Structure formats: C-alpha cells, structure tokens
C-alpha cells in the first residue's frame, strides 16, 4: 500500500460511540447509523478514542473505489487508555497494532 496523502483528521469517538472528525478548517459529526462503524479485531466497538489519520480509498483492477480506510498516523487515546503516557517505543508499537486492527464497516 503506498504512503497515504491528503488532509489529516482527528477522529473522536466518545463513550457512546458517537463519532466526529476535525481538520484544520472544519469539524463535523459522522452519522454512524448510515456511515461507518469502527470495530476492533475481536468485534468490539471502539469508544473513548482519539486518533490522527488520513482517509484513503482502495481501488480495484478497473480503478473503481471499493473500500474507504482511515490510516492511523498517531493516537492520543484508545478505548479509554491514555497513550500519551507511554514512552516513544511503546507509543509507536501501540499505533502499529491499532492500525492493523481498527477497521471500517460500511
């Protein structure tokens, strides 16, 4: 997968699962009933989370967009765990793990 490019967003998921996005100029709420749901590898909903990342679209052989992904560049909080208290090596390892296991359901 090539390195993602585009606008960076902070993605907020509150304790009820309500999602909002913010970039340098806009903040908006995501209607999770109709848009996306974030799940962990074990199928649990992700809540109380702040992630920094870039939206990308994967394409099929005919160049049609088939999947929307949020590539996580950094994390501040995940499922209530404050990641900023980790040392740099733990922080990088944690972000790599959640980048593999967080996915969209569309």
């Amino acid at each position: 997968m090539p390195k993602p490019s585009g606008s960076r967003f902070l993605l907020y998921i509150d304790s009820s699962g309500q999602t909002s996005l913010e970039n340098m100029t806009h903040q908006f709420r995501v209607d999770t009933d109709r848009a996306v749901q974030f799940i962990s590898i074990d199928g649990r909903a992700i809540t109380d989370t702040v992630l920094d990342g870039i939206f990308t679209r994967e394409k099929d052989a005919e160049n049609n967009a088939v999947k929307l992904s949020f590539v996580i560049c950094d994390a501040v909080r995940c499922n209530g765990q404050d990641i900023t208290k980790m040392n740099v090596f733990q922080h990088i390892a944690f972000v790599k793990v959640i980048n593999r296991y967080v996915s969209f359901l569309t």
Side-chain angles (χ1 to χ4, degrees):
M1 176 180 197
K3 182 177 178 183
S5 62
S7 298
R8 296 275 290 259
F9 287 88
L10 284 178
L11 179 118
Y12 303 95
I13 307 171
D14 68 17
S15 58
S16 69
Q18 179 60 54
T19 305
S20 62
L21 291 164
E22 182 176 339
N23 65 12
M24 296 297 287
T25 58
H26 296 87
Q27 180 177 10
F28 48 95
R29 180 177 164 263
V30 177
D31 184 352
T32 53
D33 291 338
R34 297 189 187 128
V36 295
Q37 179 184 11
F38 292 89
I39 57 167
S40 64
I41 190 76
D42 60 8
R44 291 181 298 130
I46 294 173
T47 60
D48 195 13
T49 297
V50 179
L51 303 172
D52 170 17
I54 299 169
F55 281 101
T56 64
R57 286 202 182 272
E58 293 180 28
K59 297 183 178 185
D60 62 14
E62 289 80 39
N63 209 29
N64 297 313
V66 293
K67 183 179 177 186
L68 178 67
S69 297
F70 184 75
V71 179
I72 300 166
C73 300
D74 201 358
V76 177
R77 188 170 189 82
C78 191
N79 283 333
Q81 183 176 356
D82 183 358
I83 299 161
T84 62
K85 305 271 189 262
M86 295 178 177
N87 71 43
V88 68
F89 299 110
Q90 292 169 321
H91 191 104
I92 290 168
F94 191 89
V95 170
K96 284 181 180 178
V97 167
I98 61 174
N99 214 4
R100 279 196 308 247
Y101 296 132
V102 174
S103 65
F104 281 108
L105 291 179
T106 54

